[in-house]
């Protein structure tokens, strides 16, 4: 079986993650959707690394992980700050962006 | 002195500025400063005249460029003063008569709290008028032209606490604006056709221009002249302009400013010489106005308005002469000068009468004043004889020449113009005699509180000087055609033409008509009873009393439609122009309102938008096979 | 070549738990499902010749990131249930079509790709380190800075400065009085010590039982006694002495007298 199969898998996981971002009102769950999308990308990168026989894809995936870790730290901090201020983490609540 | 002619303008201008800026601090001596400025201008003019007389005729004109006025691309206009025989004639007339009237005003306006302001305006007028006649280009002439219009407006409305006087000032101003538009258009045409606005350029280029171009310019200049000189159909303001103090009427609305139109026509001789049609129109306007003014003068009971009508009529003579071409230019100016003297003298006489009669202007309440005001009677009488054209007084030499010139030509023109001039002479004799007899002869019809008395010497002396001028100036200038030769460098040499009638016949006919008119007036107003109230009169008299319904006509033909047009335009502006702008603004606002809804504040909607964009992008890449 | 068994195991281990993102109600369940997904992905990495990444995936994602998620979930309330009913009109359809469309498009693109076969490489730590600290050393350093920045940023964001000084006990007490609360402690149960007094309500100065002086647990278990029999005895013995005593604050009298009466009764 070709490693290309994992790229298809990555596409499906990415779509599920994006749908979760659109559908879920809980900020943490939406955030997990984002994480899933990142991981799908990582999977694709690793698969490409395998297909091309080069390590750069894996390095890229590694970098993505590092950046994702930083992102998670900051994102969760933001969620906590919002929760402290509003007692909710629903994405529909802060409709102050309404024009 | 000729090169220092700018001093003549600068002196009164500086005096006006000083008097206006200093305000009440100058009340004590302001009038004398005004007299001195005007007198100084006269001395400058006289010096220039003496210098010019010492030169051969062809070298008398001197054009001095002071500085560049408008340095703009193709249009280069310099401030330059042209001192030639024509302009010096005007300078002397303006400053001489003006100075006398200044002196007269010192006494006439003695009890007016605003006498200093009055002299400031008078000086401003003198400066502007001198600029008008000394300018060497139409643009600079226009500056003076507007300056005299402003001074005229200020002086007509001098007693602007009276509402009708202020209205009269506005009327004069507005009607003059109509004429100014003519001058502006004429300047535009000149610039287009000739590429310049100074007299020299126009004179050089005019012979090369087509007749149609010259006719257009000429007619526009005529409109300007009609506005300033109260010629038909822009004459309606002059009667109301008598609201100003009498010295103003004498200086501005009789002797000088109203003759600026004639000056303009004569100055534009190169244009008119190439446009016979425009000349005929000028002559026709002059002939018509001279009859119109005469008819109005016959019906007016207000002494100043009767004189104003007479002014209109006399300027009609000048316009007629100016329209006749080279043979008439010199006579137009000649009559202008003599008229400046005798009409100013008569206006000052009327002012003197009013001074002694507690500002009464209704001639039906005068009568038998010759005993009470001997000096006024004599000086006014000399002016009367002059305007009638009785030999050997001034008017005879100037007006008779115009009548003779009007009979020169071919076809219908000499008969129509000559006839009008001839009849006008008779009418003039009638209405001036009526005025004279109603005022100074017959029975006293004074109201009880009037005690006529002679005016002080400050007023009578200028009147005497002007009366002497009225009597003998014409003779002095006419001997050996002195004046005509003096003006020849400007107006051009006129070939001698024989009138269609023999000259003695014309002279005789004129004199007979004059005597008839005067006699009729004597029998009707000198010997007969004059009712104190204006009697019910025929339709013709009513028509003449109301200035031939000029105001009503103007209102019906220009004002009402103009108002309707304005209202329509305002409506169109509000509905269409503003409407379009507002609708567009409202459209953008509603677009913003609609797009505001996109900002619903839902983070997930924004994420959906991003993802939709991403899908579309991917679809384009896939379908496009990129 | 990759083992099909590995692929299918990984596929099932990732896709099915990840669907919890869309359908599960409790956030904790979702987090645990994602942990599963992460583990599955780690297995895939190992199978694809990236053992180092597989280990890092387990350590970073399941060990750190997802645990962090769980911590935050605990902080903001673990029992939060989400109502899955959609509040934005049409959002569900938009999500369905865009996500589905994206999947279809991506698969369509991937289906077209052909890649020339290449030698297999194994991303063991040594090989990774050789590349990472050679060609990508600068990126590595920058990422280090990014991590530090993120850490400090998180600290700053979650830190709440104390706006007011800490209150002393005296101040707290004064605030309680101002608020109209009981100035002293709530009454204790068990006025009458002869019984297991925890189930007997205390009495107020008028002799009425104070219900809330008894523990709520006993009330729920229906083990509370109303103490009527003790009050009867109290009344019969206490009344004669009342008249002999000067008038004092009623509450203090009853407080002082009640234990004494009960002692007498007990004897």
């Amino acid at each position: 079986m070709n490693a290309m199969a994992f790229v298809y898998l990555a596409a499906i996981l990415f779509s599920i993650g994006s749908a979760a971002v659109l559908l879920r009102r809980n900020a943490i769950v939406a955030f997990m959707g984002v994480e899933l999308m990142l991981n799908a990308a990582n999977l694709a990168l690793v698969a490409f690394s395998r297909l091309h026989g080069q390590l750069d894809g894996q390095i890229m995936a590694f970098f993505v992980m590092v950046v994702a870790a930083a992102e998670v730290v900051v994102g969760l901090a933001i969620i906590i700050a919002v929760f402290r201020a509003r007692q909710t983490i629903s994405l529909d609540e802060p409709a102050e962006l309404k024009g | 002195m000729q090169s220092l002619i700018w001093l003549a303008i600068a002196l009164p201008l500086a005096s006006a500025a000083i008097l206006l800026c200093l305000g009440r601090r100058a009340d004590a001596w302001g009038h004398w400063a005004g007299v001195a400025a005007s007198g100084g201008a006269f001395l400058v003019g006289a010096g220039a005249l003496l210098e010019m007389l010492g030169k051969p005729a062809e070298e008398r004109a001197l054009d001095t460029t002071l500085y560049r006025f408008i340095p703009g691309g193709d249009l280069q206009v310099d401030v330059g003063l042209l001192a030639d025989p024509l302009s010096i004639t005007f300078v002397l007339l303006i400053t001489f008569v003006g100075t006398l009237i200044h002196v007269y005003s010192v006494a006439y306006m003695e009890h007016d709290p605003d006498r200093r302001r009055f002299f400031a305006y008078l000086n401003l007028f003198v400066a502007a008028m001198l600029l008008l006649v000394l300018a060497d280009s139409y643009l600079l002439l226009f500056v003076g032209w507007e300056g005299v219009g402003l001074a005229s407006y200020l002086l007509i409305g001098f007693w602007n606490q009276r509402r009708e006087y202020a209205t009269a000032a506005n009327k004069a101003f507005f009607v003059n604006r109509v004429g100014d538009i003519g001058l502006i258009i004429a300047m535009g045409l000149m610039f287009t056709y000739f590429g310049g606005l100074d007299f020299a350029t126009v004179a050089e280029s005019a012979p090369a221009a087509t007749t149609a171009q010259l006719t257009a310019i000429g007619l526009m200049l005529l409109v300007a002249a009609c506005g300033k000189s109260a010629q038909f159909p822009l004459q309606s303001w002059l009667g109301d302009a008598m609201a100003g103090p009498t010295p103003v009427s004498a200086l501005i609305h009789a002797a000088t400013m109203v003759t600026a139109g004639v000056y303009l026509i004569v100055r534009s001789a190169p244009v008119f010489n190439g446009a016979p049609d425009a000349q005929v129109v000028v002559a026709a306007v002059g002939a018509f106005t001279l009859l119109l003014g005469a008819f109005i003068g016959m019906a007016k009971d207000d002494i100043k308005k009767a004189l104003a009508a007479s002014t209109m009529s006399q300027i009609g003579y000048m316009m007629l002469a100016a329209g006749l071409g080279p043979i008439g230019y010199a006579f137009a100016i000649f009559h202008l000068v003599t008229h400046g003297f005798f009409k100013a003298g008569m206006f000052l006489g009327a002012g003197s009468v009013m001074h002694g009669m507690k500002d009464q202007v209704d001639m039906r309440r005068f009568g038998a004043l010759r005993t009470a005001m001997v000096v006024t009677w004599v000086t006014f009488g000399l002016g009367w004889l002059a305007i009638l054209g009785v030999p050997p007084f001034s008017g005879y030499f100037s007006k008779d020449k115009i009548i003779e010139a009007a009979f020169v030509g071919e076809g219908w023109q000499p008969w129509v113009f000559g006839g009008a001039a001839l009849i006008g002479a008779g009418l003039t004799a009638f209405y001036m005699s009526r005025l004279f007899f109603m005022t100074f002869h017959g029975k006293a019809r004074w109201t009880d509180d009037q005690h006529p008395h002679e005016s002080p010497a400050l007023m009578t002396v200028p009147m005497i000087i002007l009366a002497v001028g009225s009597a003998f100036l014409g003779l002095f200038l006419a001997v050996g055609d002195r004046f005509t030769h003096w003006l020849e460098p400007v107006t051009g040499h006129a070939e001698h033409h024989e009138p269609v009638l023999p000259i003695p016949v014309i002279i005789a006919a004129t004199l007979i008509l004059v005597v008839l008119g005067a006699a009729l007036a004597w029998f009707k107003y000198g010997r007969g009873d004059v009712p104190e109230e204006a009697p019910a009169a025929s339709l013709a008299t009513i028509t003449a009393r109301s200035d031939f319904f000029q105001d009503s006509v103007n209102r019906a033909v220009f004002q009402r439609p103009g108002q309707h047009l304005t209202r329509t335009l305002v409506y169109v502006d509000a509905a269409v122009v503003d409407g379009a702008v507002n609708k567009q603004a409202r459209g953008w606002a509603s677009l913003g309102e609609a797009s505001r809804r996109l900002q619903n504040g839902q983070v997930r909607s924004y994420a959906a938008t991003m993802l939709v964009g991403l899908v579309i992008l991917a679809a384009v890449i896939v379908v496009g096979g990129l | 070549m990759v083992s099909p068994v590995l692929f299918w195991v990984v596929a099932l281990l990732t896709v099915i738990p990840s669907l919890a993102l869309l359908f599960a109600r409790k956030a904790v369940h979702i987090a645990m499902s994602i942990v599963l997904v992460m583990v599955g992905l780690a297995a895939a990495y190992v199978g694809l010749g990236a053992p180092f990444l597989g280990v890092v995936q387990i350590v970073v994602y399941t060990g750190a990131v997802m645990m962090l998620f769980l911590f935050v979930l605990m902080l903001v309330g673990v029992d939060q249930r989400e109502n899955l009913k959609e509040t934005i009109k049409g959002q569900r359809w938009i999500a369905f079509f865009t996500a589905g469309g994206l999947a279809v498009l991506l698969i369509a693109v991937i289906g077209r790709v052909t890649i020339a076969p290449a030698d297999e490489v194994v991303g063991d730590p040594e090989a990774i380190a050789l590349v990472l600290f050679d060609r990508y050393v600068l990126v590595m350093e920058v990422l280090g800075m990014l991590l530090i920045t993120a850490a400090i940023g998180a600290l700053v964001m979650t830190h709440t400065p104390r706006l007011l000084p800490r209150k002393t006990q005296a101040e707290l007490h004064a605030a309680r009085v101002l608020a109209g609360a009981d100035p002293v402690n709530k009454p204790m149960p068990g006025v009458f010590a002869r019984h297991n007094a925890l189930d007997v309500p205390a009495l107020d100065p008028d002799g009425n039982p104070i219900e809330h002086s008894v523990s709520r647990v006993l009330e729920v278990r229906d083990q509370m006694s109303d103490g009527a029999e003790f009050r009867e005895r109290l009344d019969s013995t206490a009344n004669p002495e009342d008249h002999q005593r000067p008038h004092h604050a009623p509450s203090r009298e009853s407080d002082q007298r009640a234990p004494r009466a009960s002692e007498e009764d007990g004897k």
Side-chain angles (χ1 to χ4, degrees):
Chain A
M1 188 173 228
N2 198 317
M4 203 51 140
F6 285 95
V7 183
Y8 289 107
L9 181 60
I12 290 166
L13 288 177
F14 189 92
S15 301
I16 292 173
S18 65
V21 173
L22 295 195
L23 283 174
R24 302 306 293 245
R25 261 169 294 173
N26 189 323
I28 297 176
V29 178
F31 202 13
M32 283 193 260
V34 175
E35 290 301 314
L36 186 61
M37 287 156 81
L38 284 169
N39 272 292
N42 271 355
L43 180 59
L45 283 172
V46 174
F48 285 133
S49 165
R50 166 79 173 207
L51 288 168
H52 286 285
Q54 286 178 337
L55 278 179
D56 300 69
Q58 294 186 24
I59 301 290
M60 285 303 137
F62 179 71
F63 289 152
V64 170
M65 279 183 199
V66 176
V67 174
E71 179 223 346
V72 164
V73 169
V74 176
L76 287 177
I78 290 174
I79 286 173
I80 288 187
V82 169
F83 178 74
R84 272 201 201 136
R86 305 179 167 274
Q87 304 302 316
T88 179
I89 53 170
S90 168
L91 285 179
D92 287 357
E93 283 297 320
E96 284 169 11
L97 288 171
K98 187 169 167 59
Chain B
M1 282 313 267
Q2 209 179 344
S3 55
L4 288 178
I5 199 71
W6 59 271
L7 267 177
I9 301 171
L11 281 176
L13 194 64
S15 166
I18 290 169
L19 293 186
L20 286 175
C21 291
L22 283 185
R24 268 176 299 173
R25 273 161 288 182
D27 272 353
W29 45 269
H31 43 285
W32 290 118
V35 173
S38 181
F42 172 70
L43 291 180
V44 173
L49 174 72
L50 290 178
E51 190 180 332
M52 286 166 79
L53 285 175
K55 292 180 190 174
E58 289 73 29
E59 296 169 16
R60 279 175 182 161
L62 178 69
D63 198 343
T64 29
T65 301
L66 298 181
Y67 58 92
R68 178 140 287 187
F69 182 28
I70 298 175
D74 293 339
L75 180 64
Q76 306 279 356
V77 181
D78 294 330
V79 168
L81 299 182
L82 176 64
D84 66 357
L86 179 60
S87 56
I88 288 298
T89 306
F90 267 90
V91 168
L92 289 173
L93 173 70
I94 294 157
T95 52
F96 185 71
V97 176
T99 307
L100 290 179
I101 290 172
H102 272 72
V103 174
Y104 177 93
S105 306
V106 171
Y108 188 83
M109 300 293 284
E110 192 174 2
H111 303 295
D112 196 293
D114 287 330
R115 180 164 62 163
R116 181 219 13 109
R117 186 161 63 89
F118 179 79
F119 275 86
Y121 291 163
L122 270 191
N123 275 332
L124 176 65
F125 168 77
V126 170
M129 190 70 201
L130 291 176
L131 181 65
L132 194 164
V133 297
L134 283 170
D136 75 340
S137 70
Y138 281 96
L139 195 67
L140 196 58
L141 179 146
F142 187 66
V143 175
W145 188 271
E146 291 300 312
V148 294
L150 171 68
S152 162
Y153 165 78
L154 290 170
L155 286 166
I156 294 170
F158 185 73
W159 289 313
N160 54 15
Q161 61 269 31
R162 303 253 326 246
R163 189 178 173 77
E164 62 266 34
Y165 289 4
T167 311
N170 280 337
K171 186 176 176 185
F173 199 74
F174 291 145
V175 177
N176 268 298
R177 290 291 78 71
V178 178
D180 295 344
I181 288 172
L183 188 48
I184 290 171
I185 295 174
M187 284 197 289
L189 293 173
M190 281 179 208
F191 181 65
T192 312
Y193 298 150
F194 306 149
L197 292 176
D198 51 315
F199 299 143
T201 309
V202 172
E204 276 173 27
S205 318
T210 66
T211 310
Q213 291 173 345
L214 293 176
T215 305
I217 296 174
L219 289 178
M220 284 301 126
L221 288 172
L222 175 64
V223 170
C226 284
K228 201 53 103 189
S229 294
Q231 297 297 292
F232 182 83
L234 299 176
Q235 86 286 14
S236 63
W237 63 275
L238 187 60
D240 289 346
M242 295 301 121
T246 308
V248 172
S249 308
L251 177 61
I252 300 184
H253 304 122
T256 55
M257 186 192 86
V258 286
T259 59
V262 180
Y263 170 78
L264 183 70
I265 303 280
V266 175
R267 186 52 99 184
S268 309
V271 174
F272 282 100
N273 288 344
D277 292 342
Q279 280 182 321
V280 171
V281 177
V282 172
V285 165
F288 186 77
T289 311
L290 87 86
L291 292 177
L292 186 77
F295 281 119
I296 293 174
M298 286 192 289
K300 290 284 181 187
D301 289 332
D302 181 324
I303 184 169
K304 285 183 72 178
K305 291 199 171 172
L307 283 172
S310 155
T311 304
M312 203 193 295
S313 172
Q314 297 302 311
I315 296 174
Y317 270 109
M318 301 172 208
M319 292 295 273
L320 173 60
L324 294 174
I327 56 165
Y329 293 143
F331 298 137
I333 301 299
F334 191 11
H335 192 55
L336 192 155
V337 172
T338 56
H339 171 261
F341 274 81
F342 61 69
K343 185 56 66 65
M346 282 193 284
F347 259 114
L348 294 190
S352 174
V353 168
M354 286 161 60
H355 191 74
M357 296 290 280
K358 299 203 166 177
D359 287 336
Q360 175 69 269
V361 290
D362 188 355
M363 291 190 290
R364 294 185 183 278
R365 307 308 303 234
F366 292 158
L369 286 175
R370 69 178 183 278
T371 48
M373 304 175 167
V374 179
V375 180
T376 308
W377 175 56
V378 173
T379 55
F380 202 104
L382 286 173
W384 169 62
L385 290 171
I387 195 173
L388 256 57
V390 176
F393 298 104
S394 291
Y396 168 75
F397 296 101
S398 56
K399 193 156 75 174
D400 212 58
K401 289 288 184 191
I402 292 179
I403 298 174
E404 283 175 25
F407 274 108
V408 175
E410 295 164 358
W412 56 272
Q413 290 175 15
W415 298 105
V416 172
F417 294 150
L422 200 59
I423 294 167
L427 296 176
T428 306
F430 175 74
Y431 72 76
M432 284 313 295
S433 305
R434 169 179 179 269
L435 189 152
F436 185 69
F437 294 143
M438 272 175 97
T439 306
F440 292 102
H441 293 268
K443 292 189 196 122
R445 301 178 297 275
W446 312 333
T447 50
D448 296 337
D449 59 342
Q450 286 171 335
H451 307 289
H453 56 85
E454 189 52 85
S455 301
L458 270 180
M459 287 167 71
T460 52
V461 170
M463 284 155 62
I464 293 168
I465 296 173
L466 285 174
V468 171
S470 314
F472 304 117
L473 186 67
L475 180 64
F476 174 74
L477 291 177
V479 170
D481 287 340
R482 266 185 207 161
F483 193 71
T484 321
H485 289 312
W486 161 253
L487 283 180
E488 224 161 44
V490 183
T491 58
H493 182 69
E495 298 297 322
H496 188 72
H497 294 281
E498 279 302 317
V500 288
L501 290 172
I503 291 177
V505 174
I506 298 174
I507 294 176
T510 311
L511 287 178
I512 289 169
L513 279 173
V514 166
V515 170
L516 276 178
L520 186 62
W522 169 253
F523 284 114
K524 198 159 164 34
Y525 299 101
R527 271 190 20 195
D529 286 334
V530 177
E532 293 182 1
E533 296 298 326
S538 65
L539 185 64
T541 315
I542 293 172
T543 309
R545 272 182 197 155
S546 60
D547 300 338
F548 284 78
F549 304 115
Q550 181 72 25
D551 288 342
S552 311
V553 170
N554 282 346
R555 194 171 296 133
V557 177
F558 298 110
Q559 186 190 346
R560 290 273 160 71
Q563 281 176 337
H564 287 300
L565 181 67
T566 311
R567 281 194 202 117
T568 315
L569 287 179
V570 167
Y571 175 77
V572 168
D573 183 58
V576 179
V577 179
D578 285 4
V581 172
N582 289 342
K583 284 272 162 54
Q584 197 190 8
R586 224 166 283 146
W588 290 117
S590 52
L591 189 64
E593 190 74 16
S595 57
R596 184 178 70 87
R597 300 238 167 90
L598 291 178
Q599 300 285 326
N600 57 3
Q602 300 292 352
V603 182
R604 292 189 295 138
S605 290
Y606 301 166
T609 316
M610 274 170 65
L611 205 61
V612 169
L614 180 65
V615 171
I616 292 171
L617 201 62
V620 168
I621 291 173
V622 172
V623 176
L626 294 169
Chain C
M1 282 291 112
V2 182
S3 155
V5 178
L6 173 70
F7 173 75
W8 286 112
V9 168
V10 167
L12 291 177
L13 204 56
T14 49
V15 172
I16 293 171
S18 67
L19 286 175
L21 269 175
L22 304 180
F23 303 112
R25 281 169 189 256
K26 284 196 167 180
V28 176
H29 295 171
I30 298 169
M32 294 314 294
S33 310
I34 299 297
V35 169
L36 261 186
V37 176
M38 300 302 176
V39 173
L41 286 176
Y45 294 166
V46 175
L48 285 170
F52 174 73
L53 270 188
V55 173
V56 170
Q57 171 80 5
I58 298 250
V59 171
V60 171
Y61 273 103
T62 53
V65 171
M66 294 319 297
M67 290 311 115
L68 201 54
F69 268 101
L70 281 169
F71 273 132
V72 174
L73 275 174
M74 300 300 164
L75 270 177
V76 303
V78 74
D79 55 347
Q80 276 189 345
R81 280 167 162 267
E82 192 179 350
N83 185 0
L84 286 180
K85 189 167 164 51
E86 186 52 61
T87 49
I88 304 175
K89 197 177 163 189
Q91 177 80 0
R92 184 166 288 182
W93 291 106
I94 293 172
F96 179 75
F97 281 112
T98 51
L102 190 65
V104 170
L105 285 168
L106 287 176
I107 288 168
V109 172
I110 296 164
R112 290 194 202 167
V113 175
T114 50
I115 298 174
D119 295 337
E120 289 186 14
V121 289
V122 177
D124 55 358
E126 199 182 338
I128 292 283
L130 284 176
V131 181
L132 192 59
F133 291 100
D134 182 20
R135 279 168 64 188
Y136 294 100
V137 67
L138 188 63
V139 184
M140 184 75 189
E141 297 298 327
V142 172
L143 280 179
M145 285 185 239
L146 173 70
L147 277 176
I148 293 172
T149 315
I152 292 175
L155 280 178
V156 168
M157 244 179 299
T158 49
H159 176 71
T160 41
R162 181 170 288 282
L163 298 173
L164 301 167
R166 187 184 286 273
K167 282 183 176 171
T168 63
Q169 197 170 10
E171 285 165 346
L172 285 172
H173 181 253
R176 269 184 63 156
V177 173
L178 271 179
D182 274 334
V184 293
N185 292 342
K186 284 180 180 173
M188 296 295 286
V191 183
F192 308 108
R194 57 180 30 201
H195 190 71
N196 183 4
L198 280 178
D199 65 342
V200 181
L203 296 180
D204 71 359
D206 298 327
N208 299 318
I210 303 171
E211 297 287 339
H212 61 78
S213 63
V214 176
S215 164
R216 196 162 53 93
V217 178
L218 294 180
E219 193 182 339
V220 171
R221 289 183 185 165
D222 209 13
Q223 289 178 336
M224 197 173 75
S225 146
D226 68 346
E229 46 178 327
F230 306 116
R231 273 203 305 284
E232 268 173 33
R233 269 187 256 164
L234 185 71
D235 290 340
S236 60
T237 56
N239 278 342
E241 287 184 37
D242 262 357
H243 299 288
Q244 297 164 7
R245 289 180 171 244
H247 284 287
H248 289 286
S251 62
R252 202 180 288 171
E253 276 179 31
S254 60
D255 283 351
Q256 287 170 351
R257 200 174 59 223
R260 195 169 61 224
S262 50
E263 277 167 22
E264 285 166 6
D265 288 340
K267 283 175 187 173

